[in-house]
Amino acid sequence: QQQVKQSPQSLIVQKGGISIINCAYENTAFDYFPWYQQFPGKGPALLIAIRPDVSEKKEGRFTISFNKSAKQFSLHIMDSQPGDSATYFCAASITGANNLFFGTGTRLTVIP
Amino acid sequence: GAVVSQHPSWVICKSGTSVKIECRSLDFQATTMFWYRQFPKQSLMLMATSNEGSKATYEQGVEKDKFLINHASLTLSTLTVTSAHPEDSSFYICSAKELAGRYNEQFFGPGTRLTVL
């Protein structure tokens, strides 16, 4: 059973455009929602994370929007660049528990 | 800060041999380390969780006798793939949770590509 559902599976965006990746969850006990960026042949790197007490968090060109009532959160990449081409994973966890539940990943391609 | 290293970055071995992969937290102490397996174009699959000085907890379906995990110190965990077979070929990634860290933030290593011939 997939605890975190992620869409789309792949995404192609023009340079300068906005990339949007969506995730949804069912477990209301989740209280930590990170996004990871992974380049081919490399491990995932933490990009940005949010807790449910805020509805939005912005770091540079990356923004997480969080909708607690809908149990959804999304990653927005503004002014997308070819260097952003990677696979993005959303995840969710419960503070105090160990497991991170990952989404299935979104392969983003930014074309020049 | 919060750097995790893995060694080796890639390894090729013959079927039937054992391979050891090291995971180190370089600039922090890790209470808990995790081992993941990732197939091409797929998400990360948690294999096991290890705490320093205690036995690892394996996820359902992961053979503990095949994938031996040792968490000898707060900065080192090892994964040994015993009697490796071609189906064990995969990308293995470790992560670590900081002793004094907030929430459930995990820092990932760069991964180890294992190819079993």
Side-chain angles (χ1 to χ4, degrees), chain A:
Chain A
Q1 182 187 354
Q2 191 71 33
Q3 296 262 5
V4 180
K5 295 182 180 178
Q6 184 173 346
S7 64
Q9 191 174 7
S10 62
L11 181 62
I12 300 174
V13 172
Q14 200 85 27
K15 179 183 174 182
I18 302 174
S19 304
I20 302 174
I21 304 170
N22 301 300
C23 286
Y25 63 97
E26 285 299 323
N27 189 344
T28 55
F30 287 145
D31 61 358
Y32 175 65
F33 303 90
W35 284 89
Y36 288 87
Q37 178 189 56
Q38 185 180 29
F39 293 103
K42 304 294 183 184
L46 179 65
L47 196 59
I48 186 172
I50 198 169
R51 284 176 64 81
D53 51 351
V54 296
S55 60
E56 186 175 280
K57 183 174 181 181
K58 184 176 181 180
E59 290 184 2
R61 296 184 294 111
F62 301 93
T63 300
I64 299 179
S65 295
F66 184 81
N67 187 328
K68 189 174 181 178
S69 60
K71 291 184 285 186
Q72 295 175 348
F73 58 110
S74 59
L75 175 69
H76 296 234
I77 305 175
M78 305 300 195
D79 186 28
S80 299
Q81 299 297 312
D84 297 331
S85 298
T87 299
Y88 292 82
F89 293 96
C90 62
S93 71
I94 302 168
T95 300
N98 275 327
N99 286 21
L100 259 180
F101 295 94
F102 283 90
T104 48
T106 296
R107 177 176 276 194
L108 170 66
T109 303
V110 181
I111 52 177

Side-chain angles (χ1 to χ4, degrees), chain B residues 14-80:
Chain B
K14 291 183 179 180
S15 186
T17 60
S18 294
V19 174
K20 181 185 283 189
I21 302 169
E22 288 187 353
C23 175
R24 293 181 186 273
S25 56
L26 297 185
D27 52 2
F28 67 98
Q29 292 185 316
T31 46
T32 308
M33 288 185 165
F34 307 84
W35 287 95
Y36 293 84
R37 185 172 180 177
Q38 187 177 35
F39 292 103
K41 299 183 181 181
Q42 292 190 22
S43 190
L44 288 79
M45 183 185 76
L46 180 65
M47 298 174 65
T49 302
S50 73
N51 291 292
E52 184 259 342
S54 60
K55 288 185 179 180
T57 302
Y58 291 82
E59 295 299 300
Q60 193 172 10
V62 178
E63 298 175 60
K64 58 182 68 175
D65 293 331
K66 180 163 196 59
F67 299 100
L68 300 179
I69 292 171
N70 183 278
H71 193 157
S73 75
L74 284 173
T75 59
L76 173 65
S77 176
T78 59
L79 167 68
T80 301

